[in-house]
Every structure is written in structure tokens, then in C-alpha cells.
Amino acid sequence: MTTGAARWAAPGRVNLIGEHVDYAGGLCLPFALAQRTVVEASLLDEPRVRARSRAEPGTVDIALDDVGPGSPPGWAGYAAGVLWALRVAGHPVRGMELLVTDTVPLGAGLSSSAALECAVALAADELSGLGLSRTELAAACVRAENEVVGARTGGMDQAVAMLATADHALLLDTRDGATRQVPLSPTGDGLAVLVIDTRVRHRLADGQYGARRAAVEKAATALGLASLREATVSDLDGLDDGLRRRARHVVTEIARVRQVVAALDAGELASIGPLLDASHESLRRDYEVSCRELDLACEMARLSGAFGARMTGGGFGGSAIALVPRSRVDDVTRAVGNAFAASGYRAPAIRQARPSAGASRVG
Ligand code: ADP
Ligand code: MG
């Protein structure tokens, strides 16, 4: 038996800049998308979670006491895992029925996982009367994904899904968790941010993520620093060539985030194109996490009118972003699509990204 269904929604995100620096105490600058995951939720009078999603087959029905690392397996781990994380933090979560009705595109690098978690977290907070802050709820979402699903996530996705405001990017300092809203309104400036989903995900992504993370930690240790956040480019001279290139990406990327933030604070969004391009080059050459599809998307976007373009997210597939004058959106969309077709790649999915608000109750 259920009582009183209501709906909560949380957005997907893209990262404007600050890639592969969250595990080095760096700065990142994501913003929330208009695309949202919607969860309809109601209390159950038993301590269970019953979950369904229009995006995945089947119903999961599990006692709250049986939720934990690896359980339930599959997609429901993201949802039930949030209830588990809240419970292990000592909060009296009640049984819930969850129906996921709409979704951020899954696995496109737009963070459908955090959107699902954050919508569930808000629902749980309100229905169980927990009164937690958005930061506390985001922490439970991170814990659910790390420990119940077993996927590595640094916390950027959950922070932006919870804390974003419309027409702003969220500057997140991963060293201490501090955040600041930075104005970002492409439409107002006659611009658009296009998200180009390559619709490929190369299989080496997972192992390579661990290897990059280990390299960054090794470089910090070799330099006697707590993290590469503390390093300057000249500090890196003593590292061997392979490690130096990895570390150079992190150090220069953090500097680029600061420059982008300064440009946005000054109302000069159109000027950040070269910083986006430099970020992509650094990820491609020094960090080696790009792939042919991402390189092609960025190159064609630039050639057909974008001010700048870069891969966004972990790499090896997923999405790129391009900063484009609104008058050139169609040109860029066509040029990227044609180039993908000529290379025999799947047609990319290209969407406009509008900096949108974070999670909320919607009905
Ligand atoms: P991303 O977060 O970039 O979309 P992830 O691999 O982190 O990619 O998360 C995608 C996974 O999250 C899906 O495979 C699915 O298990 C789960 N998921 C996300 N949104 C939903 C949804 N609306 N319904 C069911 N499962 C979802
Ligand atoms: Mg995810």
C-alpha cells in the first residue's frame, strides 16, 4: 500500500572545463542541463524499496535491510543505494515506492546516474522528513554510487545536480568541496553550447581511468605534495617524461579553469574558445584520454564556426562540447554529422545545453 505520490526531478550535466582534475584536488566548472530524470515516489508502510523505471525492464522489490554493496544489482542499485547510504549515516529512512518516468539520456556522459540518485535523495529526504541539506544528500548519492553500485565517481556530478542554479555554472573546488555560482548564459550572449554525443564508449575507459588516477597520485608523491593542486608547471621538470605529461595536463587544466571563470565573471563568454581548444589538446596529447570520434567532433565543430570545442567527461567516447555563435548552430550540426557519416561512424546526437537549475520537487 502506498500513500501520496509526488514527483522529484534532477538534471544531467556537462562539464564546461576542468576535466580529470577532481581526483587531484582541482577545480571543475560543470553546469546542469534542462534534461531531467523524474522520480515519482510514495511511502510504503513496510521497510522496503520497490522500484521501476520506464528506461529499464522489470520491477525491483527489496527489503531496506537487504540493500548494500552489490545489492540490488543493476540500475536499481543507484536508487536503492541512496536509501542505504542515508540509513548508514544514521537517518531514519522509510520504505518507498519509486517510479522513474523520464530520464536524462543514459550513458551519454551526461550523468544520468547522478540525476537518478539526486531525485531519489530529495524524495527520500522529504517523504521521511529528514531535513538534510543538499550537500548531505549529495554525499549520500556519491556513497551509493561508490559502494552499492561499485562505480568510481568523484562527486562533481552529484554536487552540480543538487546545487546548480539556472544561467550559472558551478565552480567546484574538489580540495575542500567549496562551490560558487558563476554566471553562464550563452543564449543571452548570442551563443550556444552544443553537446555532441558521439554515441561510442570504447571499452578501455575503465582501466585507463584507474591508470590515470594512479599516475596523478604517483606524480604528487614524487613531488612531495598532498596533491597536484599544489604544483606549478616548473615543479614538474624533475618527473620522468610519461608522468610529467600526465601531471602537466592536471596543472595546466586547473589554470585554464581559473581563466574561464575570470572570463565568465567579466561577461566574456565568447572569449573562452581557445581555452576549450587547449583543454582538448591537453586531454588528447598529454593525458591521452580522447579518441578519434571526439577529435573529429571537435575539429569539425571548429572548422564550421565554433569558437572552441573540447571533449567533456572521462573520455574514450561520450560527449564533446562546442561553443558556437547561434547563427552557426546549423552549420556545426551539419558539418559534424556529415563528417561522422563520411568516416562510417554512427550518427552523433547533438543537443543544445542550457544552464539550468538543480534538483527540485516538481509536483
Ligand atoms: P551516465 O551517468 O554518464 O549516464 P553511468 O554509467 O554513470 O552513465 O550511469 C548510467 C546507468 O545509470 C545506467 O546504465 C542505469 O543503470 C542507471 N540509470 C540512470 N538513469 C536511469 C533511469 N532513468 N532508469 C534506470 N536506470 C538509470
Ligand atoms: Mg554517471
Side-chain angles (χ1 to χ4, degrees), residues 108 195-200 293 296-297 318-319 333-351:
V195 179
I196 304 165
D197 176 6
T198 63
R199 300 172 76 203
V200 294
E293 294 87 348
L296 183 65
S319 295
T333 304
R334 202 174 316 115
V336 174
N338 288 344
F340 269 53
S343 301
Y345 299 156
R346 274 179 87 184
I350 303 180
R351 306 176 178 92

Side-chain angles (χ1 to χ4, degrees), residues 13 37 53-56 74-76 78 100 102-114 116 145 157:
R13 63 95 188 94
T37 292
S53 170
R54 296 214 170 120
E56 299 277 353
W75 76 268
Y78 295 89
V100 189
D102 298 285
T103 187
V104 170
L106 266 55
L110 305 180
S111 199
S112 66
S113 58
L116 175 57
E145 188 155 339
D157 302 348

